[in-house]
Short mmCIF file of all heavy atoms in Angstrom, two decimals:
data_model
loop_
_atom_site.label_atom_id
_atom_site.label_comp_id
_atom_site.label_asym_id
_atom_site.label_seq_id
_atom_site.Cartn_x
_atom_site.Cartn_y
_atom_site.Cartn_z
N THR R 1 4.12 -5.49 -1.48
CA THR R 1 2.97 -4.83 -2.12
C THR R 1 3.40 -3.52 -2.78
O THR R 1 3.04 -3.23 -3.94
CB THR R 1 1.89 -4.56 -1.07
OG1 THR R 1 1.33 -5.83 -0.64
CG2 THR R 1 0.74 -3.71 -1.65
N TYR R 2 4.17 -2.74 -2.08
CA TYR R 2 4.66 -1.47 -2.67
C TYR R 2 5.59 -1.73 -3.87
O TYR R 2 5.50 -1.01 -4.88
CB TYR R 2 5.36 -0.62 -1.58
CG TYR R 2 4.41 0.14 -0.68
CD1 TYR R 2 4.53 0.06 0.71
CD2 TYR R 2 3.40 0.93 -1.23
CE1 TYR R 2 3.62 0.74 1.54
CE2 TYR R 2 2.54 1.60 -0.41
CZ TYR R 2 2.64 1.55 0.98
OH TYR R 2 1.80 2.21 1.76
N ASP R 3 6.48 -2.70 -3.73
CA ASP R 3 7.35 -3.03 -4.85
C ASP R 3 6.60 -3.44 -6.13
O ASP R 3 6.87 -2.97 -7.23
CB ASP R 3 8.34 -4.15 -4.49
CG ASP R 3 9.41 -3.69 -3.49
OD1 ASP R 3 9.58 -2.46 -3.33
OD2 ASP R 3 10.03 -4.57 -2.89
N ASN R 4 5.59 -4.31 -5.96
CA ASN R 4 4.82 -4.78 -7.08
C ASN R 4 3.90 -3.67 -7.63
O ASN R 4 3.64 -3.61 -8.83
CB ASN R 4 4.00 -6.00 -6.71
CG ASN R 4 4.88 -7.25 -6.63
OD1 ASN R 4 5.66 -7.52 -7.53
ND2 ASN R 4 4.79 -8.01 -5.58
N ALA R 5 3.41 -2.82 -6.74
CA ALA R 5 2.60 -1.68 -7.22
C ALA R 5 3.43 -0.76 -8.12
O ALA R 5 2.98 -0.31 -9.16
CB ALA R 5 2.02 -0.93 -6.02
N ALA R 6 4.66 -0.46 -7.71
CA ALA R 6 5.53 0.38 -8.52
C ALA R 6 5.85 -0.30 -9.83
O ALA R 6 5.90 0.35 -10.90
CB ALA R 6 6.84 0.66 -7.75
N ARG R 7 6.06 -1.61 -9.79
CA ARG R 7 6.35 -2.38 -11.02
C ARG R 7 5.20 -2.28 -12.03
O ARG R 7 5.39 -2.36 -13.25
CB ARG R 7 6.61 -3.84 -10.65
CG ARG R 7 7.07 -4.72 -11.79
CD ARG R 7 7.50 -6.08 -11.23
NE ARG R 7 8.78 -6.01 -10.53
CZ ARG R 7 8.96 -6.14 -9.21
NH1 ARG R 7 7.91 -6.29 -8.45
NH2 ARG R 7 10.14 -6.02 -8.67
N ASN R 8 3.98 -2.10 -11.52
CA ASN R 8 2.80 -2.06 -12.37
C ASN R 8 2.27 -0.65 -12.63
O ASN R 8 1.21 -0.46 -13.20
CB ASN R 8 1.68 -2.93 -11.71
CG ASN R 8 1.93 -4.39 -11.91
OD1 ASN R 8 1.54 -4.99 -12.92
ND2 ASN R 8 2.57 -5.02 -10.91
N GLY R 9 2.98 0.32 -12.15
CA GLY R 9 2.63 1.72 -12.40
C GLY R 9 1.42 2.17 -11.67
O GLY R 9 0.72 3.09 -12.09
N VAL R 10 1.12 1.54 -10.48
CA VAL R 10 -0.07 1.95 -9.74
C VAL R 10 0.28 2.32 -8.29
O VAL R 10 -0.56 2.30 -7.39
CB VAL R 10 -1.11 0.81 -9.68
CG1 VAL R 10 -1.68 0.59 -11.10
CG2 VAL R 10 -0.55 -0.46 -9.09
N ALA R 11 1.55 2.72 -8.06
CA ALA R 11 2.00 3.01 -6.71
C ALA R 11 1.27 4.19 -6.09
O ALA R 11 1.12 4.23 -4.87
CB ALA R 11 3.52 3.30 -6.73
N ASP R 12 0.79 5.10 -6.92
CA ASP R 12 0.06 6.25 -6.37
C ASP R 12 -1.41 5.96 -6.02
O ASP R 12 -2.09 6.80 -5.48
CB ASP R 12 0.14 7.44 -7.36
CG ASP R 12 -0.51 7.07 -8.69
OD1 ASP R 12 -0.60 5.89 -9.04
OD2 ASP R 12 -0.89 8.02 -9.43
N GLN R 13 -1.80 4.70 -6.27
CA GLN R 13 -3.22 4.36 -6.02
C GLN R 13 -3.37 3.33 -4.90
O GLN R 13 -4.48 2.88 -4.59
CB GLN R 13 -3.85 3.77 -7.29
CG GLN R 13 -3.97 4.76 -8.46
CD GLN R 13 -4.41 4.06 -9.73
OE1 GLN R 13 -3.61 3.64 -10.53
NE2 GLN R 13 -5.74 3.90 -9.86
N ILE R 14 -2.25 2.94 -4.34
CA ILE R 14 -2.34 1.87 -3.31
C ILE R 14 -1.63 2.31 -2.01
O ILE R 14 -0.63 2.99 -2.04
CB ILE R 14 -1.69 0.56 -3.86
CG1 ILE R 14 -2.07 -0.64 -3.01
CG2 ILE R 14 -0.19 0.65 -4.00
CD1 ILE R 14 -1.82 -1.98 -3.67
N GLU R 15 -2.23 1.91 -0.88
CA GLU R 15 -1.65 2.11 0.43
C GLU R 15 -1.65 0.77 1.12
O GLU R 15 -2.61 -0.02 1.00
CB GLU R 15 -2.49 3.12 1.23
CG GLU R 15 -2.70 4.47 0.54
CD GLU R 15 -3.89 5.20 1.08
OE1 GLU R 15 -4.06 5.19 2.36
OE2 GLU R 15 -4.67 5.76 0.31
N ALA R 16 -0.61 0.52 1.89
CA ALA R 16 -0.52 -0.75 2.61
C ALA R 16 -0.14 -0.51 4.05
O ALA R 16 0.76 0.31 4.33
CB ALA R 16 0.50 -1.71 1.96
N TYR R 17 -0.81 -1.19 4.97
CA TYR R 17 -0.69 -0.93 6.37
C TYR R 17 -0.57 -2.22 7.22
O TYR R 17 -1.20 -3.24 6.85
CB TYR R 17 -1.87 -0.15 6.94
CG TYR R 17 -2.12 1.19 6.28
CD1 TYR R 17 -3.03 1.29 5.22
CD2 TYR R 17 -1.44 2.33 6.74
CE1 TYR R 17 -3.28 2.54 4.65
CE2 TYR R 17 -1.68 3.57 6.11
CZ TYR R 17 -2.61 3.70 5.07
OH TYR R 17 -2.84 4.89 4.50
N LEU R 18 0.21 -2.16 8.29
CA LEU R 18 0.06 -3.13 9.33
C LEU R 18 -1.25 -2.86 10.09
O LEU R 18 -1.72 -1.69 10.12
CB LEU R 18 1.23 -3.06 10.31
CG LEU R 18 2.60 -3.41 9.68
CD1 LEU R 18 3.71 -3.05 10.68
CD2 LEU R 18 2.65 -4.87 9.32
N PRO R 19 -1.86 -3.85 10.73
CA PRO R 19 -3.15 -3.62 11.39
C PRO R 19 -3.16 -2.47 12.38
O PRO R 19 -4.17 -1.72 12.46
CB PRO R 19 -3.44 -4.95 12.07
CG PRO R 19 -2.74 -5.96 11.24
CD PRO R 19 -1.50 -5.27 10.77
N GLU R 20 -2.06 -2.29 13.11
CA GLU R 20 -2.06 -1.22 14.10
C GLU R 20 -2.00 0.17 13.48
O GLU R 20 -2.23 1.18 14.15
CB GLU R 20 -0.89 -1.41 15.08
CG GLU R 20 0.49 -1.41 14.39
CD GLU R 20 0.96 -2.82 14.09
OE1 GLU R 20 0.11 -3.69 13.83
OE2 GLU R 20 2.20 -3.02 14.02
N ASP R 21 -1.68 0.24 12.19
CA ASP R 21 -1.56 1.54 11.51
C ASP R 21 -2.67 1.85 10.56
O ASP R 21 -2.74 2.95 9.99
CB ASP R 21 -0.23 1.58 10.71
CG ASP R 21 0.99 1.36 11.62
OD1 ASP R 21 0.98 1.85 12.75
OD2 ASP R 21 1.94 0.75 11.11
N GLN R 22 -3.58 0.94 10.36
CA GLN R 22 -4.62 1.07 9.32
C GLN R 22 -5.58 2.21 9.66
O GLN R 22 -5.91 2.42 10.81
CB GLN R 22 -5.42 -0.22 9.16
CG GLN R 22 -6.23 -0.61 10.36
CD GLN R 22 -6.76 -2.02 10.29
OE1 GLN R 22 -6.06 -2.92 9.83
NE2 GLN R 22 -7.95 -2.26 10.80
N PRO R 23 -5.96 2.97 8.64
CA PRO R 23 -6.89 4.09 8.88
C PRO R 23 -8.34 3.57 8.99
O PRO R 23 -8.62 2.42 8.64
CB PRO R 23 -6.71 4.95 7.64
CG PRO R 23 -6.34 3.97 6.55
CD PRO R 23 -5.50 2.90 7.26
N GLU R 24 -9.21 4.44 9.43
CA GLU R 24 -10.66 4.08 9.50
C GLU R 24 -11.29 4.60 8.19
O GLU R 24 -11.15 5.75 7.81
CB GLU R 24 -11.34 4.74 10.67
CG GLU R 24 -10.87 4.16 12.01
CD GLU R 24 -11.69 4.71 13.20
OE1 GLU R 24 -12.70 5.43 12.90
OE2 GLU R 24 -11.32 4.47 14.33
#
């Protein structure tokens, strides 16, 4: 997800988490 976000120029708009790390 992070690699493809950078490829599309949207890396600063996306966050990706494992379930145990996800924010509320």
Side-chain angles (χ1 to χ4, degrees):
T1 293
Y2 280 129
D3 287 345
N4 284 312
R7 186 172 287 110
N8 285 273
V10 294
D12 60 338
Q13 296 172 266
I14 196 165
E15 305 160 40
Y17 300 96
L18 296 170
E20 59 267 27
D21 301 325
Q22 66 194 35
E24 292 186 9

